[in-house]
C-alpha cells in the first residue's frame, strides 16, 4: 500500500481524507510532525519563516519514507522544486478569510499573518493586532476563553471542520484579499525516477483540477518573482474563464496593485508579470 504524508492537526487530517477520497485509491496515512507543530510557542519569524509547515513532510517524501504528500498549497515553498512537484490539486474551496468573535468593536484581534494584519488595521483601526499561533481549533479555543476578542481564520478551514457557524464575519475580497494558494489542497509527488513514481504521478495528474492548478501555479510564480514566502504580505484573487486566467493582486508592503490576464497555458508568464509589477 502506498503512503501519504501529512501533519497531525485536525485540519490536516481532514484535508488528507478529502484528498484520499478525491484520488479514489487506497492509501496509508503517515503523520509527520512539522517544525511549526513541534514549536507551538515560537512565531513563524523565529522559526525562519520558510517551510515551517511542510519541510519535514517534503524531506520524508524525498527520502521515500512516504510516496506522496498532502499540504495546504499556501504553505508550500519553492525549496524542493528540483526534486518535487505538485501533480494534483483539488477544486478550490472558499478562499475568503473570516472573523471569529467580536466583529463590531474588537479590542484585540489575533493573527500572525502580515497580510491579514495590514488589512485589519484599515478595517478595525481601533483594534490591536496580536500574534497568535496554533491549529485552527486551538486558536478558536483561545478566542472563546477570552484571550482575544476576535481572530481571523480561513473560511475553507472552518468549512472543512464543520465550524462555519463560528464565523461572525466573512470578509469580501474588497475588504480582505486572500493569500496566494488559499483554499487549495495540494498533492505533492517526487519527480518520476522509478516505475512507482511514474504510477503515483499518473494517478495524481489524472485527478488534477486543471483550472485550479493553473491559477495557483500562476500565483506561485508571482510570489517567486518577488522572492516571497507565505509570510509576505501579498493578497490576490484569481478566476479562470474560457481558458483565460485573470488575477488581481496587491503587495501591502509596497502598496502596489496589479491586474493581469493571460491564456491559461501562459500561467508562468502571467505570474512573473504580476510579481514584477508588485515590487
Amino acid at each position: 500500500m502506498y503512503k501519504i504524508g501529512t501533519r497531525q492537526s485536525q485540519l490536516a487530517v481532514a484535508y488528507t481524507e478529502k484528498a484520499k477520497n478525491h484520488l479514489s485509491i487506497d492509501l496509508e496515512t503517515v503523520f509527520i510532525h512539522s517544525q511549526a507543530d513541534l514549536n507551538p510557542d515560537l512565531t513563524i519569524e523565529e522559526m525562519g519563516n520558510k517551510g515551517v509547515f511542510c519541510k519535514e513532510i517534503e524531506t520524508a517524501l524525498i527520502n521515500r519514507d512516504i510516496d506522496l504528500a498532502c499540504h495546504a498549497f499556501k504553505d508550500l515553498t519553492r525549496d524542493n522544486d528540483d526534486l518535487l512537484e505538485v501533480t494534483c490539486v483539488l477544486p478550490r474551496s472558499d478562499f475568503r478569510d473570516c472573523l471569529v468573535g467580536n466583529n463590531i468593536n474588537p479590542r484585540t484581534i489575533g493573527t500572525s499573518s502580515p497580510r491579514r494584519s495590514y488589512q485589519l488595521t484599515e478595517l478595525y483601526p481601533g483594534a490591536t493586532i496580536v500574534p497568535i499561533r496554533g491549529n485552527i481549533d486551538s486558536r478558536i479555543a483561545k478566542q472563546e476563553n477570552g484571550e482575544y476578542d476576535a481572530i481571523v481564520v480561513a473560511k475553507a478551514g472552518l468549512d472543512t471542520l464543520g465550524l462555519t457557524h463560528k464565523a461572525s464575519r466573512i470578509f469580501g475580497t474588497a475588504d480582505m484579499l486572500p493569500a496566494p494558494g488559499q483554499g487549495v489542497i495540494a498533492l505533492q509527488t517526487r519527480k518520476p525516477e522509478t516505475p512507482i513514481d511514474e504510477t503515483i504521478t499518473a494517478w495524481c495528474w489524472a485527478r488534477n483540477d486543471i483550472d485550479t492548478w493553473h491559477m495557483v501555479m500562476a500565483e506561485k510564480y508571482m510570489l517567486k518573482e518577488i522572492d516571497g514566502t507565505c509570510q509576505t504580505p501579498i493578497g490576490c484573487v484569481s478566476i479562470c474563464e474560457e481558458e483565460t486566467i485573470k488575477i488581481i493582486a496587491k503587495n501591502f508592503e509596497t502598496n502596489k496593485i496589479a491586474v493581469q490576464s493571460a491564456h491559461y497555458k501562459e500561467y508562468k508568464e502571467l505570474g512573473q508579470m504580476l510579481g514584477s509589477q508588485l515590487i
Side-chain angles (χ1 to χ4, degrees):
M1 183 184 296
Y2 297 114
K3 297 178 180 180
I4 182 169
T6 189
R7 296 169 59 207
Q8 288 186 301
S9 73
Q10 186 180 4
L11 184 58
V13 172
Y15 280 166
T16 304
E17 288 304 308
K18 286 182 69 173
K20 289 166 69 174
N21 290 335
H22 183 77
L23 287 177
S24 299
I25 56 176
D26 196 15
L27 293 167
E28 176 188 349
T29 302
V30 176
F31 297 110
I32 299 168
H33 289 293
S34 71
Q35 185 181 1
D37 297 323
L38 293 171
N39 299 280
D41 297 323
L42 296 180
T43 66
I44 303 299
E45 291 81 1
E46 288 172 325
M47 288 182 285
N49 278 332
K50 291 181 65 178
V52 298
F53 296 104
C54 63
K55 181 178 179 181
E56 286 73 18
I57 300 172
E58 290 187 321
T59 298
L61 184 57
I62 292 168
N63 292 340
R64 299 187 176 273
D65 297 324
I66 57 176
D67 300 297
L68 68 163
C70 183
H71 305 277
F73 191 98
K74 66 185 180 68
D75 292 338
L76 289 169
T77 70
R78 303 178 306 276
D79 292 347
N80 294 305
D81 283 358
D82 56 331
L83 300 172
L84 307 176
E85 58 187 347
V86 174
T87 45
C88 179
V89 296
L90 276 62
R92 195 167 214 156
S93 300
D94 195 325
F95 49 71
R96 295 173 295 174
D97 289 299
C98 57
L99 202 74
V100 174
N102 182 350
N103 69 323
I104 306 299
N105 57 351
R107 294 167 300 169
T108 58
I109 304 177
T111 181
S112 291
S113 162
R115 171 189 60 84
R116 288 171 175 160
S117 296
Y118 273 98
Q119 297 178 91
L120 287 168
T121 55
E122 294 186 5
L123 294 169
Y124 296 102
T128 301
I129 311 303
V130 184
I132 186 172
R133 277 290 323 281
N135 298 321
I136 191 169
D137 43 335
S138 64
R139 282 181 281 154
I140 291 174
K142 290 177 181 179
Q143 187 279 319
E144 291 181 339
N145 69 23
E147 293 182 49
Y148 304 85
D149 283 349
I151 60 172
V152 181
V153 297
K155 186 172 182 293
L158 291 184
D159 293 345
T160 299
L161 294 178
L163 298 173
T164 311
H165 62 282
K166 296 284 187 180
S168 56
R169 177 178 179 179
I170 299 171
F171 295 110
T173 54
D175 291 325
M176 184 169 291
L177 284 173
Q182 188 155 305
V184 176
I185 298 171
L187 292 168
Q188 188 181 39
T189 58
R190 291 180 292 271
K191 290 190 174 180
E193 294 182 348
T194 68
I196 289 177
D197 294 346
E198 292 172 356
T199 297
I200 294 169
T201 297
W203 278 339
C204 289
W205 276 120
R207 298 294 292 158
N208 186 30
D209 187 85
I210 197 65
D211 284 350
T212 300
W213 189 87
H214 281 119
M215 285 188 286
V216 293
M217 292 304 290
E219 295 168 18
K220 179 178 179 178
Y221 278 105
M222 175 185 67
L223 273 181
K224 181 178 181 179
E225 186 69 18
I226 64 174
D227 196 27
T229 71
C230 63
Q231 287 297 101
T232 303
I234 297 281
C236 68
V237 173
S238 302
I239 59 171
C240 186
E241 293 179 340
E242 297 181 353
E243 300 188 348
T244 297
I245 300 173
K246 182 177 180 179
I247 304 179
I248 179 171
K250 182 174 182 179
N251 184 338
F252 294 96
E253 202 166 51
T254 62
N255 204 34
K256 291 187 177 181
I257 298 174
V259 181
Q260 290 291 340
S261 62
H263 190 273
Y264 72 89
K265 291 183 179 179
E266 299 173 340
Y267 63 89
K268 181 177 180 179
E269 293 81 2
L270 174 59
Q272 291 171 333
M273 189 185 312
L274 276 165
S276 67
Q277 294 175 344
L278 294 173
I279 298 172

